[in-house]
Amino acid sequence: MEFKQSVIEGLAFYVYALVDPRNNKIFYIGKGKGNRVFQHAEAYIEENTYNLKLDTIRSIISEGGHVAYYILRHNLEEREAYIVESTLIDMLTYSKFNHENQLTNIIVGHHQWDEGIKDIEEINALYDCSKIEAKEGDCLLLVSLNQSYNQKKAKGVYKRVDIYEATRKYWPIGLEQAKKVNYVLGVYKGIVRCVIKVKSHKWFNKAEDGTIFKKPRCCFDGEICSDSLYLNKDVSDYPFGSGGSIRYIL
């Protein structure tokens, strides 16, 4: 199945939904142009990988059905399509709205980690924050997200898929200092937006986008602590300094 060229030109960028005809439930939200909407169903034959989206498509087809396609918004600029897609994914996956995850999307909305759904308490926590207090024995590494938090404006090495990736790499830190760090705190506009409990770290001479570093930079591995006492805390007492990207709290 494919669109004619005249249809493709009329659609421009669009946001679409894949629907299971057995229960009329949306199971995937995406954005694209051209024949992107149809490529998922084709992929179940061509790809050997297994994920919830492809498994749903295989199940529909094995029972003699066909995926139903819906264009939700069209004639969009790419940036507009990102926003519409992200909003819809947020609405259909936000845990407080949905007791059962309705979508098979692996990646959440493109701006869910900065401009996504938040309740009133979370909004207040972001913009009316108490000062950070480090627990005894914790070595905190503050890292600046000024170049990566707003992904609509991020470029080059600062383009990241989520806030975890933005917080964990690539930092100009010495080997001995890296060994001491318990938590990496992603900071934007003086507020801690992400907390990673460090499990390990490694060094890179080159970033994923091809940027070559003058000296090896550190990339931390760990887990996001969504209930950390450090999250949404004011760290304005610990400024990065002119051009600085890291700061320690010992």
Side-chain angles (χ1 to χ4, degrees), residues 132-172:
I132 193 169
E133 294 183 14
K135 292 174 59 178
E136 185 176 354
D138 282 351
C139 177
L140 311 180
L141 175 65
L142 310 183
V143 298
S144 173
L145 302 183
N146 287 346
Q147 301 296 321
S148 58
Y149 190 79
N150 186 342
Q151 281 295 295
K152 290 184 292 185
K153 297 181 179 179
K155 298 178 180 179
V157 70
Y158 298 107
K159 294 292 289 184
R160 308 290 169 82
V161 297
D162 55 30
I163 198 169
Y164 172 74
E165 291 296 320
T167 301
R168 76 187 191 96
K169 60 187 181 186
Y170 301 95
W171 304 112

Side-chain angles (χ1 to χ4, degrees), residues 3-234:
F3 291 125
K4 294 180 179 179
Q5 184 60 33
S6 59
V7 177
I8 291 174
E9 293 174 3
L11 283 173
F13 277 95
Y14 57 85
V15 178
Y16 60 88
L18 305 184
V19 175
D20 189 333
R22 298 169 297 184
N23 52 24
N24 287 323
K25 285 188 176 180
I26 297 171
F27 67 88
Y28 190 85
I29 295 287
K31 74 156 188 67
K33 62 188 303 186
N35 289 302
R36 175 58 181 163
V37 63
F38 305 122
Q39 292 171 357
H40 302 281
E42 296 170 358
Y44 97 96
I45 298 175
E46 300 171 358
E47 296 183 16
N48 294 322
T49 56
Y50 289 87
N51 58 49
L52 187 54
K53 177 190 67 179
L54 292 180
D55 287 350
T56 300
I57 293 171
R58 291 186 180 105
S59 176
I60 293 169
I61 293 174
S62 69
E63 294 184 18
H66 299 279
V67 175
Y69 307 101
Y70 290 85
I71 304 299
L72 305 178
R73 286 292 185 275
H74 68 279
N75 197 22
L76 302 171
E77 298 291 335
E78 186 173 17
R79 183 181 65 84
E80 296 172 326
Y82 269 112
I83 294 172
V84 173
E85 178 198 36
S86 174
T87 301
L88 290 172
I89 291 175
D90 279 2
M91 289 296 294
L92 292 170
T93 58
Y94 189 59
S95 60
K96 293 181 181 178
F97 295 170
N98 301 278
H99 298 290
E100 294 184 10
N101 188 359
Q102 190 168 329
L103 295 184
T104 60
N105 289 64
I106 296 174
I107 299 176
V108 298
H110 292 277
H111 304 295
Q112 190 181 60
W113 55 280
D114 56 355
E115 298 171 354
I117 297 172
K118 293 176 176 60
D119 60 29
I120 298 302
E121 290 182 0
E122 290 170 323
I123 290 294
N124 286 330
L126 282 175
Y127 299 107
D128 185 18
C129 309
S130 57
K131 299 284 187 178
I132 193 169
E133 294 183 14
K135 292 174 59 178
E136 185 176 354
D138 282 351
C139 177
L140 311 180
L141 175 65
L142 310 183
V143 298
S144 173
L145 302 183
N146 287 346
Q147 301 296 321
S148 58
Y149 190 79
N150 186 342
Q151 281 295 295
K152 290 184 292 185
K153 297 181 179 179
K155 298 178 180 179
V157 70
Y158 298 107
K159 294 292 289 184
R160 308 290 169 82
V161 297
D162 55 30
I163 198 169
Y164 172 74
E165 291 296 320
T167 301
R168 76 187 191 96
K169 60 187 181 186
Y170 301 95
W171 304 112
I173 177 175
L175 178 61
E176 293 304 314
Q177 293 100 321
K179 291 179 180 178
K180 300 175 184 177
V181 174
N182 306 107
Y183 295 91
V184 180
L185 279 52
V187 177
Y188 180 65
K189 293 186 176 180
I191 307 299
V192 177
R193 310 300 178 111
C194 179
V195 178
I196 296 176
K197 184 176 182 181
V198 176
K199 292 185 177 179
S200 63
H201 56 272
K202 47 197 172 187
W203 304 88
F204 290 87
N205 293 304
K206 184 178 180 180
E208 292 175 348
D209 76 321
T211 299
I212 298 176
F213 305 122
K214 293 181 179 179
K215 294 182 179 180
R217 293 199 175 190
C218 188
C219 175
F220 292 91
D221 289 312
E223 59 183 22
I224 287 184
C225 300
S226 57
D227 58 351
S228 172
L229 295 175
Y230 299 131
L231 193 64
N232 298 324
K233 289 296 188 291
D234 182 344

Side-chain angles (χ1 to χ4, degrees), residues 229-248:
L229 295 175
Y230 299 131
L231 193 64
N232 298 324
K233 289 296 188 291
D234 182 344
V235 293
S236 56
D237 289 342
Y238 302 90
F240 290 105
S242 178
S245 61
I246 64 171
R247 175 71 189 262
Y248 299 95

